[in-house]
Amino acid sequence: PSPWALFDAWGAGADICDPLSPSEEAVLTNGAVRIPLTEGDRMEVPEESEILQAYDRLLQQRSSVHMGYPYNLMYDHSELYSFMKYSINNLGDPFVPSNYGVHSRQFECAVIDFFANLWKMPENGHWGYVTTSGTEGNLHGILLARETLPDGILYTSQESHYSVFKAARYYRMDCRSIPTLPMGEINYDMLAEEIDRNREHPVILNVNIGTTVKGAVDNL
């Protein structure tokens, strides 16, 4: 199994932070962080700076003992702070010019070209866009499959990311969850049997290249 499943606080530092004090926990309750609607309400909740300081401490403490997911916690976005004051928006297709001038399309296209080169795609023979997360990537990819094969069946391992099953519900697709082998990869014999039972339907196959917890690869 992947060491990610044991401890993965990359960048959190060697020291484990102490838990929050009762006073710090008190300013992070639902009642304390509610948005005040009147001056009277405002007098009943802590100052925003106090809440944010306690929240920063909470994130430090949680990050120092973070377990279970392969996140990189070594963030340093200081070089990008100056761009936070702009309303940057890459509207629509990154390869199609937009009438919205405050964008970063050239950088988005550069990222797409980088991965196309890794996958040895022909020059000017690829398309894509940078998603906000892996979930959005899965939703878009499965949507394209559904549009191409509307009567297809989606096959995926039971250890696939939850967004794969969410996509099947969103798009009302027939989805078959296939059991996995001990190391987390799909059970190939059971997959073949399930496909054989549904020969009249096209196959839409979700292949994992590193499952969330075990890092398993479906070797297809």
Side-chain angles (χ1 to χ4, degrees), residues 125-170:
H126 58 270
W127 179 89
Y129 73 101
V130 177
T131 69
T132 58
S133 66
T135 291
E136 184 184 349
N138 289 338
L139 292 174
H140 186 72
I142 293 172
L143 174 62
L144 293 179
R146 199 284 308 269
E147 295 297 286
T148 303
L149 301 169
D151 61 338
I153 296 177
L154 173 62
Y155 301 89
T156 189
S157 88
Q158 66 183 16
E159 296 197 30
S160 297
H161 192 263
Y162 70 88
S163 62
V164 174
F165 305 100
K166 177 194 288 188
R169 294 193 298 272
Y170 277 3

Side-chain angles (χ1 to χ4, degrees), residues 70-217:
Y71 293 147
N72 177 7
L73 302 180
M74 194 175 293
Y75 291 129
D76 182 5
H77 295 160
S78 56
E79 289 186 323
L80 302 177
Y81 290 167
S82 63
F83 300 100
M84 298 301 292
K85 61 180 176 287
Y86 303 111
S87 182
I88 300 173
N89 195 331
N90 291 1
L91 298 172
D93 190 324
F95 293 96
V96 177
S98 170
N99 59 3
Y100 187 81
V102 187
H103 63 78
S104 61
R105 304 167 91 84
Q106 65 272 47
F107 301 111
E108 183 174 11
C109 290
V111 172
I112 297 166
D113 291 342
F114 172 80
F115 283 101
N117 183 61
L118 288 182
W119 296 326
K120 303 185 185 307
M121 295 182 177
E123 186 176 357
N124 300 321
H126 58 270
W127 179 89
Y129 73 101
V130 177
T131 69
T132 58
S133 66
T135 291
E136 184 184 349
N138 289 338
L139 292 174
H140 186 72
I142 293 172
L143 174 62
L144 293 179
R146 199 284 308 269
E147 295 297 286
T148 303
L149 301 169
D151 61 338
I153 296 177
L154 173 62
Y155 301 89
T156 189
S157 88
Q158 66 183 16
E159 296 197 30
S160 297
H161 192 263
Y162 70 88
S163 62
V164 174
F165 305 100
K166 177 194 288 188
R169 294 193 298 272
Y170 277 3
Y171 309 140
R172 298 185 178 180
M173 298 173 68
D174 187 350
C175 178
R176 307 298 169 90
S177 178
I178 308 299
T180 56
L181 299 174
M183 294 299 289
E185 59 192 298
I186 197 167
N187 187 309
Y188 306 106
D189 291 337
M190 298 186 73
L191 172 64
E193 292 171 3
E194 190 67 26
I195 292 175
D196 189 55
R197 282 194 289 268
N198 298 279
R199 285 177 172 268
E200 68 276 13
H201 293 282
V203 173
I204 299 174
L205 183 59
N206 176 72
V207 179
N208 293 309
I209 308 177
T211 55
T212 303
V213 175
K214 294 182 180 178
V217 175

Side-chain angles (χ1 to χ4, degrees), residues 10-35:
W10 305 335
D15 298 328
I16 294 179
C17 298
D18 294 330
L20 268 64
S21 66
S23 61
E24 289 173 318
E25 291 182 346
V27 300
L28 293 176
T29 63
N30 291 343
V33 302
R34 74 183 188 277
I35 300 174

